[in-house]
Amino acid sequence: MDLGVDLGTTRTTVAVADRGNYPVVGFLDADDDVHDWFPSVVARTGSGDDGLVFGYAALAAAAEGAPVVRSFKRALAEPDARPGSELIVGDEGVALSTLLTGFLTELANALRTRSTVADEELGRTVISVPAHAHSGQRFLTLEAFRAAGFDVVLLINEPSAAGFEYSHRKGRTLTRQRNRVLVYDLGGGTFDASLVAIDGGSHQIESSVGLNRLGGDDFDAALVDLALAQAGDAADGSQEDGRTAYLDLLDQARDAKERLSPQSRRLVLDVAGSPVTVAVEDYYVAAAPLVTKTMEAMAPLVPGLDEGVTSEVAGLYLVGGASALPLVPRMLRERFGRRVHRAPLPAASTAIGLAIAADQDSGYTLSDRLSRAVGVFREAEAGTEVAFDQIFGREQPIVPGQSLSVRRRYRAAHNVGHFRFVEMPGADGTPRGELVPFGEVLFPFDVDLRDGQDLRAVAVRRAPGPVVEEVYTVDGNGLVEVEITDLDTGYSVRRSLGRRSDVDAR
């Protein structure tokens, strides 16, 4: 049974490939009710890593008063995220990699024992990350799935997977003149948008943009803030010093938001034991700036779309659980007109697309892009200055299952090479936007420094050095590896960027 797994900020969704069909998996909760999602939640019921429970067991524990953490996926997007990064669950820290592997292990157990595909053997698995995910996030996600026992064959970007689902479901809307789709993916914690050119089964990502911290969680918080403001003094117990009460309000807000329909007029939240009514239009006024931010973020993908200039775009495809909020399609249609299409199953579109990618008989292929530029700061002028080199541009094509390498050769002019690798939204000779450090290599050009000493304590000075080759390889998952070699002696250092582990020197 091949499957696609969409690790979501609030809910994780799974779809399977079944003879050209791609049904969404149902999971049984603690009361044996079936839901088409698995909660992305962890709770603490005891000390140590063994005291953690996940998914529906975590929700049941939380109902009994256990400390709970939701939306832990957002921690993956932090610039300094690494396997040892800690999240506090209850009064104890837990390594991010341990938490993620534990959650995915429980997901695998639930698939085998408490789902609509129970007793089926788990086969090839395709997983996803946000389009703008940095290398550290990609590495942590990939390694956690593999550690949990999933046979991961591909990792692709979330809106790219939704593009597959669009072709499968709405292929008739594509013509020679309108063969592009703008995927608008608003999930629980992030926003992504990708422009996809489609030719039959061939999908080419032309460009992607995204916001790391904007999603359904922020829409929930906007509703809670309105309810607290309306409750006034009665809300004192739900302010930040009442963390449990505030989290309960967020849960209420999520449930109320998801029950909204275009005909809804009011929402009711229980604040400190008293019902508080919020007018839907007031909520929409508070939430509208969030939708506006998404439209501003995706504007560079299709200039003039709202003016009807780009006739080659068949439509905007709304996916992701948060896109189901009626305000979202309403605002988008006000700006972009009839070419706005809502996915029938917005929360499951990515998982369905991933299952299509896992299906070897689907006939769909993908050419994606990095979406983030990769570069390196290195020593110059005897260590008194720093130079920057771009290695890969943000539009660098990547193909699942294939790797691309670039090589650089030069004669070293210093005793030590200090390479500080970064990712960023853009770079044209000069780095632009938020820089994400994701690897550092100190290379001893001087053979006398290859005795294991701490190179950080060595002063950089000009010195004639060996001929050096740098090889940078980006694989089909968007992960980058560097190998630096002294061609005179064969000494080399290899590093998987984003992993933040020790280098392999030989």
Side-chain angles (χ1 to χ4, degrees):
M1 178 185 67
D2 296 337
L3 61 159
V5 183
D6 176 20
L7 172 63
T9 302
T10 55
R11 294 171 176 172
T12 293
T13 311
V14 180
V16 298
D18 182 13
R19 295 163 294 181
N21 298 306
Y22 306 98
V24 178
V25 174
F27 292 91
L28 277 66
D29 66 14
D31 298 320
D32 291 335
D33 292 326
V34 179
H35 307 271
D36 57 4
W37 44 271
F38 190 76
S40 300
V41 179
V42 57
R44 182 172 292 285
T45 59
S47 61
D49 295 342
D50 292 338
L52 300 175
V53 292
F54 305 91
Y56 288 109
L59 291 183
E64 297 296 323
V68 63
V69 172
R70 303 176 185 272
S71 303
F72 53 78
K73 180 183 174 182
R74 278 192 158 180
L76 290 171
E78 294 299 324
D80 60 349
R82 60 188 187 278
S85 297
E86 280 200 346
L87 289 181
I88 302 300
V89 183
D91 56 0
E92 294 184 45
V94 56
L96 182 55
S97 60
T98 300
L99 189 156
L100 196 58
T101 300
F103 170 77
L104 293 172
T105 299
E106 183 59 30
L107 174 68
N109 291 336
L111 281 166
R112 295 187 182 101
T113 62
R114 294 186 60 79
S115 77
T116 53
V117 295
D119 301 322
E120 293 282 348
E121 183 178 350
L122 304 185
R124 292 161 41 93
T125 303
V126 178
I127 63 175
S128 62
V129 292
H132 56 289
H134 56 72
S135 290
Q137 182 171 357
R138 293 173 187 274
F139 173 79
L140 281 166
T141 303
L142 185 61
E143 289 299 293
F145 268 96
R146 288 175 172 167
F150 287 94
D151 178 19
V152 179
V153 295
L154 287 176
L155 180 151
I156 63 179
N157 293 336
E158 291 166 1
S160 302
F164 278 1
E165 194 258 352
Y166 182 93
S167 292
H168 175 71
R169 196 180 297 277
K170 292 182 171 289
R172 293 182 179 180
T173 66
L174 298 165
T175 67
R176 283 181 175 272
Q177 291 74 34
R178 292 192 172 182
N179 64 346
R180 286 170 172 76
V181 175
L182 182 58
V183 177
Y184 175 102
D185 184 359
L186 185 60
T190 60
F191 169 73
D192 279 323
S194 289
L195 184 62
V196 190
I198 303 173
D199 182 6
S202 173
H203 291 62
Q204 181 175 347
I205 307 301
E206 298 194 337
S207 191
S208 297
V209 296
L211 299 170
N212 255 338
R213 298 194 66 85
L214 196 157
D217 286 357
D218 303 288
F219 287 82
D220 301 337
L223 178 54
V224 169
D225 290 345
L226 276 179
L228 290 174
Q230 193 156 317
D233 293 340
D236 289 345
S238 298
Q239 299 296 339
E240 292 188 5
D241 59 341
R243 179 69 176 166
T244 300
Y246 187 80
L247 291 175
D248 176 68
L249 277 175
L250 286 174
D251 288 343
Q252 291 186 55
R254 182 180 300 113
D255 291 340
K257 179 193 69 180
E258 292 176 355
R259 290 195 300 270
L260 277 175
S261 71
Q263 293 75 38
S264 300
R265 295 292 177 267
R266 60 186 63 85
L267 306 100
V268 180
L269 273 64
D270 186 317
V271 180
S274 300
V276 173
T277 300
V278 176
V280 169
E281 281 306 312
D282 290 343
Y283 172 50
Y284 285 172
V285 169
L290 298 174
V291 183
T292 299
K293 284 183 181 179
T294 67
M295 292 191 287
E296 292 171 346
M298 74 177 186
L301 293 185
V302 192
L305 178 63
D306 51 347
E307 301 168 5
V309 175
T310 51
S311 60
E312 73 273 12
V313 176
L316 278 75
Y317 195 45
L318 274 57
V319 303
S323 72
L325 180 68
L327 174 69
V328 176
R330 187 174 86 182
M331 288 185 64
L332 288 170
R333 287 188 177 119
E334 287 173 355
R335 182 165 177 178
F336 301 113
R338 293 190 170 193
R339 283 184 286 176
V340 175
H341 307 292
R342 286 182 61 186
L345 300 171
S349 291
T350 295
I352 294 170
L354 294 171
I356 293 171
D359 183 359
Q360 298 179 80
D361 297 323
S362 69
Y364 285 13
T365 62
L366 174 67
S367 175
D368 215 322
R369 296 182 183 272
L370 275 182
S371 82
R372 298 180 69 87
V374 177
V376 59
F377 290 98
R378 63 179 83 227
E379 302 299 327
E381 299 300 326
T384 61
E385 295 185 11
V386 175
F388 175 79
D389 292 330
Q390 178 173 310
I391 301 166
F392 296 112
R394 67 181 300 272
E395 299 300 321
Q396 173 65 52
I398 56 174
V399 178
Q402 299 182 20
S403 297
L404 171 74
S405 295
V406 297
R407 298 172 183 268
R408 298 183 178 193
R409 287 189 180 184
Y410 55 91
R411 182 168 293 280
H414 297 88
N415 61 332
V416 175
H418 191 181
F419 303 85
R420 284 149 288 188
F421 298 97
V422 294
E423 291 179 314
M424 67 225 87
D428 297 307
T430 302
R432 292 184 286 105
E434 178 190 54
L435 299 186
V436 177
F438 76 123
E440 184 178 69
V441 173
L442 286 164
F443 190 96
F445 295 133
D446 185 341
V447 295
D448 293 333
L449 298 176
R450 297 173 187 172
D451 56 0
Q453 64 181 290
D454 184 3
L455 295 178
R456 295 178 186 279
V458 177
V460 176
R461 58 179 176 79
R462 292 191 66 84
V467 175
V468 175
E469 179 180 71
E470 300 171 13
V471 180
Y472 297 93
T473 303
V474 56
D475 67 15
N477 299 317
L479 294 173
V480 179
E481 182 179 88
V482 57
E483 184 167 16
I484 305 172
T485 304
D486 173 349
L487 295 179
D488 294 349
T489 66
Y491 178 88
S492 68
V493 169
R494 186 175 63 248
R495 178 71 178 270
S496 295
L497 301 180
R499 185 172 181 173
R500 297 183 175 85
S501 62
D502 293 337
V503 298
D504 174 22
R506 61 185 187 278

